[in-house]
């Protein structure tokens, strides 16, 4: 009886706690942890840090997690997280130093949209180019679609499409200025022009203007976000719009101004939508409230050309005359 | 030691790691020894008069229950959170910003004395609290504006806590003036940890861009992952005075997964989207000391001090892992234990925060009713 | 002679024996009678004084639809009171009560306004505090039926409330910053009937009460220039408690309480400013006695209601019988 009780007691308690004793509970994986004090921090880079110019018109990340910057009149630069590499006509076959935009194609080549055509750089550092031999080719925007087609928007020359067989130009007097091109979640291509929006659905074009509730006909920024909304920013509207399955909606950015010039729109990892404006600072929309960030809050400049995102989720803002501001997302 | 050194780099936590491993080893040894010696030494426990054991005053009571003794406790803690210690240890008065809050904590515990030296226990809790954030009104211009959105935010935490299963072993001798006990346990998740969808609302609509948004987040209680806990306690009695001190260490068994909700407002209707993230809970170390005075056989007055520190965890935000801030809190707890009858004991403690860092500093009142019995002893 | 002595002894002996088993209760013993053994009203010449402290925060409330809601704006409120009660037994059945209290009310609210156009932030904080003597209450209690073996006790009480507390906002610095009133500003008359029966170790008690509020005048907000005539709604309250007397000097009480108050009037017009309210509450309490000291702790927990706070009201009571 005594022996049975002893064995029973040991059995009961050991049965509960042997897994505990043998557990790997302390064996947590090691990570490089970030300091919470580094979240929500602004850092400014300008010519004093080696940038060729304080005017930055485009920021994009390639598939190798490099950040690319364009400096109109001063070429372009690549930042890999530690080093900057600068490309100008003086040290590369870049067509011109007036680089307005860039994109990466399906083969990993970087396409630079310049005032004279497209310069192309592959991952073996070999250059190529495309120019229109008939007319000038001042490129405003380049978009590589999910099917590999390359769409190029120009100033006063309409747009070009390369479906793998070469660039084909489409021109109309009404839509000669194409400022921005975006692809939505359904694969439709949207072109923002000075006279409204054009939509290519794979078979034909349709058009949207201010009469269809666009804030303004001068469409300057487009974004297709993770919630399948197409955001539309313009150069003169008081609001921004977005299109979803329910139709077109308006959002007041609470700037207090009668119009708002939107240069760029991006979605961060939190799901917030950021609007870069001319003269009204940055606006961060959290889904309900637009939050304004301006010089009075300590932001370097109220005019922002573009917004990009690096591999860590930090946002980079290309400014009109103050360089580049980097922002680490806050954790609250 | 190489094994330990290979896992841990921080010498501070190497030491804690060593202590925890030693505690676990000692716990297992004592467990086996006391089980074997139970029948040898049980004769040293005072004659098993049920009434005497039920009414044993605190200063003569060992750290674990007697064989066959059952304690069923139920408690309620009411806490008022009107201040907070920031990262510099300075007090921030939440009351002044209207963000004070209250929490209600219900607690239930069962303890059973398997032998005079081994005790099994299970406990769980239910928590309910609502944390308000500062109301903010966004307007577009300083002029009388038709564009005005007021945002109120409430984060509610409600639900069952985890279940703690534990066993304790004590020094295998009759308690006269000194006792030592070790306890090991595991918190097991009792319910779904992911928060439910929020229940936001729009109210006070005056114009198209003039309304009030009431955010209401619904969070749950618990850890979300199993957490183990080890503790050691020491008790020393001198006449009517007793010193009771101990250390408790807890560590999560693994990383956890949770979700965050984000919302979008379209024409007064909210849509919700969830994003998953991973986390690792902080390790927690608690040191407590209490001084007791047995005023009468049925009334014990006590003054306790609790120091709690936690760190070492991290939380993922937007693909990046940020270390959790270190938190500390020191609380003073006066209280009493009143034995109303052989089967009923009431305990009450009040908690006053004294010092801390990155921690809420609530004042609380904790009342416990304990049913004390020998259900199988006639 | 011997015979008479014997008879006398014979009579004395049982008397002596009885004296040994029935000790006569002296006033000191009567004053240590507990809530189990003492009568419902104080004995003649007995004087009891007590202090009651209560505390409640404003975290949740029952709205007009009876649903429990949080106060969702960033606001914090609390109210506490420290009351003194004096009770005197005029006769074994008639008791006088006087109660007054010192009140401490706090309301804080903060709102931040962000103007997007200029990106400026304006923080508005309102803090209102009310400190001071509240209203006073006088009561006469008469025990119609004394509790005996098979009969419960029945007691009637008349309460009079005198508005001794400050009824208007004072120390007005601005519309947001002023001191809160601590009194209701109106006389009231109440009637209470209660009954008690002890069936040791249990006891049952119940009461009903009706309170009529008379017309008064006060300022409802700091912005008011003049006082407005008003009348609070009349109040009906009833309660039933089942108590467990664990021994002679400790009791655990459990009361269910229902109260209902009708809508009030301002300038003779029924108004939402003084809405109708009702509440169903549960109040557990612990009372224990050490000699002539009695200590009690209770919490009134609102279970259901309308237009009433949903937070518990904590009370601590200390009494001493002289």
């Amino acid at each position: 009886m005594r022996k049975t009780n002893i064995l029973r007691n040991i059995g009961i308690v050991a049965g509960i706690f042997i897994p505990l004793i043998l557990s790997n509970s302390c064996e947590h994986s090691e990570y490089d942890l970030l300091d919470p004090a580094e979240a929500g921090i602004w850092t400014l880079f300008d010519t004093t840090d080696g940038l060729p110019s304080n005017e930055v018109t485009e920021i994009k990340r390639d598939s190798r997690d490099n950040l690319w910057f364009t400096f109109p009149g001063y070429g372009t630069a690549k930042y890999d997280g530690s080093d900057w590499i600068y490309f100008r006509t003086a040290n590369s076959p870049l067509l011109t130093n007036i680089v307005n935009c860039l994109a990466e194609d399906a083969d990993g080549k970087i396409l630079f949209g310049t005032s004279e055509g497209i310069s192309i750089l592959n991952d073996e550092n070999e250059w190529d180019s495309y120019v229109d031999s008939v007319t000038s080719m001042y490129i405003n925007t380049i978009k590589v679609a999910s099917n590999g087609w390359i769409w190029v928007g120009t100033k006063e020359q309409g747009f070009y499409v390369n479906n793998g067989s070469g660039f084909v130009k489409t021109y109309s007097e009404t839509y000669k200025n194409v400022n921005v091109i975006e692809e939505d979640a359904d694969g439709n291509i949207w072109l923002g022009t000075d006279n409204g929006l054009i939509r290519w659905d794979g078979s034909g074009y349709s058009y949207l203007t201010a009469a269809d509730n666009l804030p303004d006909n001068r469409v300057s920024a487009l974004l297709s976000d993770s919630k399948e909304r197409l955001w539309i920013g313009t150069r003169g509207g008081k609001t921004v719009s977005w299109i979803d399955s329910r139709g077109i909606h308006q959002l007041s950015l609470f700037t207090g101004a009668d119009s708002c010039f939107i240069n760029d729109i991006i979605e961060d990892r939190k799901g917030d939508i950021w609007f870069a404006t001319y003269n009204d600072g940055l606006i961060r929309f959290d889904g309900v409230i637009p939050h304004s960030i301006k010089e009075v809050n300590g932001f370097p400049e109220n005019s922002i050309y573009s917004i990009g995102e690096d591999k860590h989720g930090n946002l980079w803002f290309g400014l009109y005359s103050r360089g580049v501001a980097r922002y680490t997302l806050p954790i609250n | 030691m190489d094994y330990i050194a290979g896992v841990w780099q921080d010498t501070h936590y190497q030491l804690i790691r060593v202590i925890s491993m030693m505690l676990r080893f000692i716990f297992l040894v004592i467990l086996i020894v006391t089980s074997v010696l139970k029948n040898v030494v049980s004769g040293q426990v005072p004659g098993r008069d049920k009434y005497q054991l039920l009414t044993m005053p605190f200063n003569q009571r060992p750290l674990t229950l007697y064989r066959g003794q059952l304690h069923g406790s139920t408690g309620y803690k009411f806490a008022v959170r009107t201040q907070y210690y920031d990262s510099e240890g300075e007090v921030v008065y939440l009351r002044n910003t209207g963000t004070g809050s209250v929490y209600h904590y219900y607690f239930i515990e069962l303890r059973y004395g398997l032998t005079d030296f081994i005790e099994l226990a299970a406990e769980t809790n239910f928590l309910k609290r609502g944390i308000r954030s500062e109301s903010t009104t966004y307007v577009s211009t300083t002029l009388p504006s038709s564009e005005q959105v007021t945002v109120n935010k409430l984060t509610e935490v409600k639900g069952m806590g985890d279940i703690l299963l534990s066993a304790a072993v004590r020094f295998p001798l009759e308690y006269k003036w000194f006792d030592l006990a070790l306890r090991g346990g595991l918190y097991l998740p009792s319910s779904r940890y992911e928060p439910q969808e929020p229940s936001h609302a729009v109210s006070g609509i005056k114009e198209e861009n003039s309304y009030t948004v009431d955010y209401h987040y619904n969070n749950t209680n618990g850890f979300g992952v199993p957490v183990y806990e080890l503790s050691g306690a020491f008790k020393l009695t001198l006449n009517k005075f007793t010193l009771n001190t101990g250390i408790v260490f807890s560590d999560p068994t693994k990383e956890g997964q949770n979700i965050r909700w984000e919302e979008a407002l379209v024409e007064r209707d909210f849509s919700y989207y969830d994003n998953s993230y991973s986390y690792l809970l902080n390790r927690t170390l608690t040191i407590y000391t209490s001084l007791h005075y047995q005023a009468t056989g049925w009334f014990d007055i006590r003054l306790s001090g609790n120091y709690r520190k936690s760190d070492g965890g991290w939380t993922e935000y937007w693909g990046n892992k940020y270390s959790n801030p270190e938190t500390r809190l020191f609380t003073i707890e006066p209280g009493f234990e009143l034995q109303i009858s052989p089967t009923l004991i009431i305990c009450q403690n009040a908690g006053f925060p004294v010092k801390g860092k990155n921690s809420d500093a609530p004042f609380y009142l904790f009342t416990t009713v304990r049913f004390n019995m020998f259900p199988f002893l006639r | 002679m011997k015979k008479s002595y014997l008879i006398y002894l014979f009579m004395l002996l049982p008397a002596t024996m009885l004296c040994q088993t029935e000790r006569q209760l002296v006033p000191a013993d009567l004053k240590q009678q507990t809530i189990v053994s003492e009568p419902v009203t104080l004995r003649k010449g007995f004087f009891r004084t007590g202090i009651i402290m209560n505390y409640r925060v404003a975290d949740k409330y029952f709205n007009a639809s009876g649903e429990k809601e949080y106060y969702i704006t960033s606001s914090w409120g609390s109210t506490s009171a420290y009351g003194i009660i004096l009770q005197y037994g005029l006769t074994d059945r008639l008791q006088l009560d006087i109660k007054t209290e010192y009140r401490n009310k706090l309301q804080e609210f903060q709102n931040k306004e962000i103007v997007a156009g200029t990106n400026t932030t304006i923080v508005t904080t309102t803090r209102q505090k009310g400190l001071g003597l509240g209203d006073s209450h006088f009561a006469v209690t008469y025990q119609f039926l004394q509790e005996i073996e098979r009969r419960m006790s029945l007691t009637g009480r008349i309460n009079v409330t005198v508005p001794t507390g400050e009824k208007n906002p004072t120390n007005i610095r601005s519309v947001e910053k002023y001191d809160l009133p601590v009194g209701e500003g109106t006389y009231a008359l109440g009637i209470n009937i209660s009954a008690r029966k002890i069936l040791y170790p249990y006891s049952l008690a119940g009461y009903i009460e009706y309170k009529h509020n008379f017309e008064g005048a006060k300022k409802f907000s700091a912005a008011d220039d003049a006082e407005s005539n008003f009348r609070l709604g009349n109040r009906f309250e009833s309660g039933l408690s089942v108590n467990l007397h664990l021994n002679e000097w400790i009791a655990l009480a459990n009361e269910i309480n229902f109260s209902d108050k009708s809508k009030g009037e301002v300038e003779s017009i029924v108004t939402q400013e003084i809405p109708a309210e009702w509440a169903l509450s549960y109040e557990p309490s612990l009372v224990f006695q050490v000699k002539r000291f009695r200590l009690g702790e209770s919490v009134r927990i609102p279970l259901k209601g309308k237009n009433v706070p949903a937070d518990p009201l904590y009370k601590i009571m200390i009494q001493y019988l002289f």
Side-chain angles (χ1 to χ4, degrees), chain B residues 140-174:
Chain B
S140 59
T141 64
T142 53
L143 297 171
S145 169
S146 62
E147 291 188 317
Q148 179 175 297
V149 178
T150 298
V151 174
N152 299 314
K153 184 174 168 187
L154 176 79
T155 304
E156 186 175 11
V157 178
K158 187 165 94 171
M160 288 294 299
D162 295 343
I163 299 173
L164 173 64
L165 299 174
S166 63
V169 293
R170 62 169 284 264
F171 207 61
L173 289 176
E174 179 196 351

Short mmCIF file of all heavy atoms in Angstrom, two decimals, chain B residues 140-174:
data_model
loop_
_atom_site.label_atom_id
_atom_site.label_comp_id
_atom_site.label_asym_id
_atom_site.label_seq_id
_atom_site.Cartn_x
_atom_site.Cartn_y
_atom_site.Cartn_z
N SER B 140 -10.28 71.36 -40.76
CA SER B 140 -9.44 71.72 -41.89
C SER B 140 -8.88 73.13 -41.77
O SER B 140 -7.76 73.39 -42.18
CB SER B 140 -10.22 71.56 -43.20
OG SER B 140 -11.37 72.39 -43.18
N THR B 141 -9.64 74.05 -41.18
CA THR B 141 -9.13 75.41 -41.04
C THR B 141 -9.56 75.97 -39.71
O THR B 141 -10.42 75.41 -39.04
CB THR B 141 -9.69 76.34 -42.14
OG1 THR B 141 -11.11 76.43 -41.96
CG2 THR B 141 -9.37 75.81 -43.53
N THR B 142 -8.97 77.09 -39.35
CA THR B 142 -9.35 77.71 -38.08
C THR B 142 -10.66 78.46 -38.18
O THR B 142 -11.28 78.75 -37.19
CB THR B 142 -8.27 78.68 -37.59
OG1 THR B 142 -8.00 79.59 -38.65
CG2 THR B 142 -7.01 77.94 -37.21
N LEU B 143 -11.05 78.78 -39.38
CA LEU B 143 -12.33 79.49 -39.54
C LEU B 143 -13.47 78.52 -39.21
O LEU B 143 -13.27 77.31 -39.26
CB LEU B 143 -12.47 79.98 -40.98
CG LEU B 143 -11.41 81.01 -41.41
CD1 LEU B 143 -11.49 81.27 -42.90
CD2 LEU B 143 -11.60 82.29 -40.64
N PRO B 144 -14.63 79.05 -38.92
CA PRO B 144 -15.74 78.11 -38.75
C PRO B 144 -15.78 77.19 -39.95
O PRO B 144 -15.97 77.60 -41.08
CB PRO B 144 -16.96 79.02 -38.69
CG PRO B 144 -16.44 80.31 -38.19
CD PRO B 144 -15.03 80.44 -38.73
N SER B 145 -15.59 75.93 -39.66
CA SER B 145 -15.37 75.01 -40.75
C SER B 145 -16.46 73.96 -40.78
O SER B 145 -16.91 73.49 -39.74
CB SER B 145 -14.01 74.35 -40.57
OG SER B 145 -13.88 73.26 -41.46
N SER B 146 -16.83 73.58 -41.99
CA SER B 146 -17.80 72.50 -42.08
C SER B 146 -17.09 71.15 -42.11
O SER B 146 -17.73 70.12 -42.14
CB SER B 146 -18.63 72.66 -43.34
OG SER B 146 -17.79 72.59 -44.48
N GLU B 147 -15.73 71.21 -42.10
CA GLU B 147 -14.98 69.95 -42.12
C GLU B 147 -14.41 69.72 -40.73
O GLU B 147 -13.47 70.38 -40.32
CB GLU B 147 -13.85 70.02 -43.15
CG GLU B 147 -14.35 70.05 -44.58
CD GLU B 147 -13.22 69.93 -45.57
OE1 GLU B 147 -12.18 70.58 -45.38
OE2 GLU B 147 -13.37 69.17 -46.53
N GLN B 148 -15.02 68.78 -40.04
CA GLN B 148 -14.59 68.55 -38.66
C GLN B 148 -14.91 67.10 -38.30
O GLN B 148 -16.08 66.69 -38.35
CB GLN B 148 -15.34 69.50 -37.74
CG GLN B 148 -14.98 69.33 -36.27
CD GLN B 148 -15.65 70.37 -35.42
OE1 GLN B 148 -15.39 71.56 -35.57
NE2 GLN B 148 -16.51 69.95 -34.53
N VAL B 149 -13.89 66.35 -37.92
CA VAL B 149 -14.11 64.96 -37.52
C VAL B 149 -13.54 64.79 -36.12
O VAL B 149 -12.37 65.09 -35.89
CB VAL B 149 -13.44 63.97 -38.49
CG1 VAL B 149 -13.64 62.55 -38.01
CG2 VAL B 149 -13.99 64.14 -39.90
N THR B 150 -14.36 64.33 -35.19
CA THR B 150 -13.91 64.06 -33.83
C THR B 150 -13.73 62.56 -33.68
O THR B 150 -14.60 61.78 -34.08
CB THR B 150 -14.94 64.57 -32.80
OG1 THR B 150 -15.06 65.98 -32.96
CG2 THR B 150 -14.50 64.27 -31.39
N VAL B 151 -12.59 62.19 -33.12
CA VAL B 151 -12.28 60.77 -32.96
C VAL B 151 -12.18 60.43 -31.48
O VAL B 151 -11.42 61.05 -30.75
CB VAL B 151 -10.95 60.44 -33.67
CG1 VAL B 151 -10.54 59.01 -33.39
CG2 VAL B 151 -11.06 60.67 -35.16
N ASN B 152 -12.97 59.48 -31.04
CA ASN B 152 -12.84 58.91 -29.69
C ASN B 152 -12.38 57.48 -29.84
O ASN B 152 -12.81 56.77 -30.75
CB ASN B 152 -14.21 58.91 -28.98
CG ASN B 152 -14.76 60.30 -28.81
OD1 ASN B 152 -14.05 61.22 -28.41
ND2 ASN B 152 -16.04 60.47 -29.14
N LYS B 153 -11.53 57.05 -28.94
CA LYS B 153 -10.99 55.69 -29.08
C LYS B 153 -11.07 54.95 -27.76
O LYS B 153 -10.62 55.45 -26.73
CB LYS B 153 -9.54 55.78 -29.55
CG LYS B 153 -8.90 54.44 -29.82
CD LYS B 153 -7.52 54.66 -30.41
CE LYS B 153 -6.73 53.39 -30.43
NZ LYS B 153 -5.34 53.62 -30.84
N LEU B 154 -11.65 53.78 -27.81
CA LEU B 154 -11.73 52.92 -26.64
C LEU B 154 -11.19 51.55 -27.01
O LEU B 154 -11.62 50.96 -27.99
CB LEU B 154 -13.19 52.78 -26.19
CG LEU B 154 -13.42 51.84 -25.01
CD1 LEU B 154 -13.07 52.52 -23.71
CD2 LEU B 154 -14.87 51.38 -24.95
N THR B 155 -10.25 51.06 -26.22
CA THR B 155 -9.73 49.71 -26.42
C THR B 155 -10.21 48.86 -25.25
O THR B 155 -9.82 49.10 -24.11
CB THR B 155 -8.19 49.72 -26.46
OG1 THR B 155 -7.77 50.61 -27.48
CG2 THR B 155 -7.65 48.34 -26.75
N GLU B 156 -11.06 47.92 -25.55
CA GLU B 156 -11.60 47.08 -24.48
C GLU B 156 -10.82 45.76 -24.44
O GLU B 156 -10.57 45.15 -25.49
CB GLU B 156 -13.08 46.81 -24.71
CG GLU B 156 -13.73 46.07 -23.57
CD GLU B 156 -15.24 45.90 -23.71
OE1 GLU B 156 -15.78 46.18 -24.79
OE2 GLU B 156 -15.87 45.47 -22.73
N VAL B 157 -10.45 45.36 -23.25
CA VAL B 157 -9.82 44.05 -23.06
C VAL B 157 -10.78 43.23 -22.22
O VAL B 157 -11.17 43.63 -21.12
CB VAL B 157 -8.47 44.19 -22.32
CG1 VAL B 157 -7.86 42.83 -22.08
CG2 VAL B 157 -7.53 45.07 -23.10
N LYS B 158 -11.19 42.11 -22.75
CA LYS B 158 -12.20 41.32 -22.03
C LYS B 158 -11.99 39.85 -22.35
O LYS B 158 -11.76 39.50 -23.51
CB LYS B 158 -13.59 41.76 -22.51
CG LYS B 158 -14.73 41.17 -21.74
CD LYS B 158 -16.01 41.91 -22.02
CE LYS B 158 -16.78 41.27 -23.12
NZ LYS B 158 -18.13 41.84 -23.26
N GLY B 159 -12.09 39.01 -21.35
CA GLY B 159 -12.06 37.59 -21.64
C GLY B 159 -11.39 36.78 -20.57
O GLY B 159 -10.84 37.30 -19.59
N MET B 160 -11.45 35.48 -20.79
CA MET B 160 -10.84 34.54 -19.86
C MET B 160 -9.32 34.61 -20.00
O MET B 160 -8.80 34.72 -21.11
CB MET B 160 -11.28 33.10 -20.20
CG MET B 160 -12.71 32.78 -19.86
SD MET B 160 -13.00 32.80 -18.09
CE MET B 160 -11.89 31.51 -17.54
N GLY B 161 -8.67 34.50 -18.88
CA GLY B 161 -7.21 34.43 -18.91
C GLY B 161 -6.78 32.98 -19.09
O GLY B 161 -7.60 32.07 -19.23
N ASP B 162 -5.50 32.79 -19.09
CA ASP B 162 -4.97 31.45 -19.26
C ASP B 162 -5.13 30.64 -17.97
O ASP B 162 -5.30 31.19 -16.89
CB ASP B 162 -3.49 31.52 -19.65
CG ASP B 162 -3.32 32.18 -21.01
OD1 ASP B 162 -4.31 32.27 -21.76
OD2 ASP B 162 -2.19 32.62 -21.30
N ILE B 163 -5.08 29.33 -18.12
CA ILE B 163 -5.20 28.46 -16.96
C ILE B 163 -3.79 28.09 -16.50
O ILE B 163 -2.98 27.61 -17.29
CB ILE B 163 -5.97 27.17 -17.33
CG1 ILE B 163 -7.38 27.53 -17.80
CG2 ILE B 163 -6.02 26.21 -16.16
CD1 ILE B 163 -8.16 26.36 -18.33
N LEU B 164 -3.53 28.33 -15.23
CA LEU B 164 -2.23 27.96 -14.67
C LEU B 164 -2.36 26.65 -13.91
O LEU B 164 -3.13 26.55 -12.96
CB LEU B 164 -1.73 29.06 -13.72
CG LEU B 164 -0.45 28.74 -12.94
CD1 LEU B 164 0.73 28.55 -13.87
CD2 LEU B 164 -0.14 29.85 -11.93
N LEU B 165 -1.63 25.64 -14.37
CA LEU B 165 -1.56 24.37 -13.64
C LEU B 165 -0.20 24.33 -12.96
O LEU B 165 0.81 24.57 -13.62
CB LEU B 165 -1.68 23.19 -14.61
CG LEU B 165 -2.98 23.11 -15.41
CD1 LEU B 165 -2.91 21.99 -16.43
CD2 LEU B 165 -4.17 22.90 -14.49
N SER B 166 -0.19 24.03 -11.68
CA SER B 166 1.09 24.05 -11.00
C SER B 166 1.15 23.00 -9.91
O SER B 166 0.12 22.45 -9.48
CB SER B 166 1.35 25.43 -10.39
OG SER B 166 0.39 25.72 -9.41
N ALA B 167 2.37 22.72 -9.49
CA ALA B 167 2.59 21.84 -8.35
C ALA B 167 3.65 22.46 -7.48
O ALA B 167 4.57 23.10 -8.00
CB ALA B 167 3.04 20.45 -8.81
N ALA B 168 3.52 22.27 -6.19
CA ALA B 168 4.49 22.83 -5.26
C ALA B 168 4.98 21.74 -4.33
O ALA B 168 4.23 20.82 -3.97
CB ALA B 168 3.85 23.95 -4.45
N VAL B 169 6.24 21.84 -3.95
CA VAL B 169 6.79 20.93 -2.96
C VAL B 169 7.44 21.77 -1.88
O VAL B 169 7.99 22.84 -2.17
CB VAL B 169 7.82 19.95 -3.57
CG1 VAL B 169 7.15 19.01 -4.53
CG2 VAL B 169 8.94 20.70 -4.24
N ARG B 170 7.36 21.30 -0.66
CA ARG B 170 7.97 22.04 0.43
C ARG B 170 8.94 21.16 1.18
O ARG B 170 9.00 19.95 0.99
CB ARG B 170 6.91 22.61 1.37
CG ARG B 170 6.03 21.59 2.06
CD ARG B 170 5.20 22.28 3.16
NE ARG B 170 6.04 22.55 4.30
CZ ARG B 170 6.11 21.75 5.36
NH1 ARG B 170 5.40 20.63 5.40
NH2 ARG B 170 6.88 22.05 6.39
N PHE B 171 9.64 21.81 2.06
CA PHE B 171 10.64 21.14 2.89
C PHE B 171 9.97 20.02 3.67
O PHE B 171 8.97 20.25 4.35
CB PHE B 171 11.22 22.19 3.84
CG PHE B 171 12.60 21.90 4.29
CD1 PHE B 171 13.63 21.81 3.37
CD2 PHE B 171 12.89 21.72 5.62
CE1 PHE B 171 14.92 21.55 3.77
CE2 PHE B 171 14.18 21.47 6.03
CZ PHE B 171 15.20 21.37 5.12
N PRO B 172 10.50 18.81 3.62
CA PRO B 172 9.77 17.66 4.16
C PRO B 172 9.89 17.49 5.67
O PRO B 172 10.23 16.43 6.16
CB PRO B 172 10.41 16.49 3.42
CG PRO B 172 11.80 16.94 3.15
CD PRO B 172 11.72 18.41 2.90
N LEU B 173 9.68 18.56 6.41
CA LEU B 173 9.68 18.46 7.86
C LEU B 173 8.51 19.25 8.40
O LEU B 173 8.01 20.17 7.74
CB LEU B 173 10.98 19.02 8.44
CG LEU B 173 12.24 18.19 8.22
CD1 LEU B 173 13.46 18.93 8.76
CD2 LEU B 173 12.12 16.82 8.89
N GLU B 174 8.12 18.91 9.62
CA GLU B 174 7.03 19.64 10.24
C GLU B 174 7.38 21.12 10.34
O GLU B 174 8.50 21.48 10.67
CB GLU B 174 6.79 19.09 11.65
CG GLU B 174 5.67 19.81 12.41
CD GLU B 174 5.71 19.50 13.90
OE1 GLU B 174 6.48 18.61 14.30
OE2 GLU B 174 4.99 20.15 14.65
#
